[in-house]
Amino acid sequence: MNIVLLGIQGSGKGTVVNNLKKHMDFALVSVGSLLREEVASGSPLGRQIKEKMENGELVELPYVMSAVKNKLKTCASDIVIFDGFPRSDEQADALDEICKVDKVIYLNLKKEIAIDRILNRLNCTKCGHISDRKTSPDMICPKCGAKLVVRSDDTVETVNKRFEQYYSETYPLIERYKSRGVLYEIDASKTPDEVLADVMKVIK
Ligand SMILES: [Zn+2]
């Protein structure tokens, strides 16, 4: 089963993925880490991607799709979750060509709440746990005790830019998948546990 996780930045996609890992086995396709894996593998495709990254060039869609295809071929799990991909109609078309999207989970969250969450968000440098300033005012990870940091790209300016891009490119995907009858909307303003329970209901 192929599942796309869709939602504005701050809607809790990362938290959902981290919490799901404790309950079920799945393969995660996140384009950023996928490209890094391909580069690390030293494959011919990885070498081409590496060159583009080192030159500061955009890694074009055909390269991304080849990496996605490789991942789908080699992953052992029956459930594949696409995190933050596709982000545009063009990417969604390309994904349709290589696999069937069975379900799309849309974490719906108001922009104002999302911005507030992003600007208060803290990431663990060691275990990847996501916390916030209210829960961890001491900047120490409650899971492993390592230092928590603010993501360097989480500023008001960059957040606004990413939101503009989201509304112009990604938001139309909601209609696309809704009309296909595969969209499951979840209220992402609920607690992480409640959101997780709703997500698991959709996957089961
Ligand atoms: Zn930690």
Side-chain angles (χ1 to χ4, degrees), residues 2 8 49 66 90 94 100 108 114 120 128 131 163 184 201:
N2 298 315
I8 201 164
I49 294 173
S66 298
E90 189 197 9
K100 179 173 173 276
N108 191 7
N120 282 300
S131 189
F163 274 51
Y184 297 81
K201 261 182 242 158

Side-chain angles (χ1 to χ4, degrees), residues 1 6 29 43 54 120 127 134 196:
M1 179 163 52
L6 208 66
V29 177
S43 67
E54 282 173 352
N120 282 300
C127 75
K134 275 171 225 146
L196 177 68

Side-chain angles (χ1 to χ4, degrees), residues 124-137:
C124 178
T125 46
K126 201 173 162 194
C127 75
H129 179 71
I130 302 162
S131 189
D132 60 75
R133 288 180 200 277
K134 275 171 225 146
T135 317
S136 310

Side-chain angles (χ1 to χ4, degrees), residues 8 109 111 162-172:
I8 201 164
L109 189 67
K111 186 182 168 185
R162 287 196 299 248
F163 274 51
E164 264 171 46
Q165 196 178 12
Y166 175 84
Y167 282 111
S168 65
E169 292 179 11
T170 311
Y171 198 68

Side-chain angles (χ1 to χ4, degrees), residues 2 14 31 55-56 102 132 139 151 154 164 166-167 187 191:
N2 298 315
V31 170
N55 292 335
D102 298 294
D132 60 75
M139 307 286 278
R151 263 174 43 168
D154 285 348
E164 264 171 46
Y166 175 84
Y167 282 111
D187 178 1
T191 67

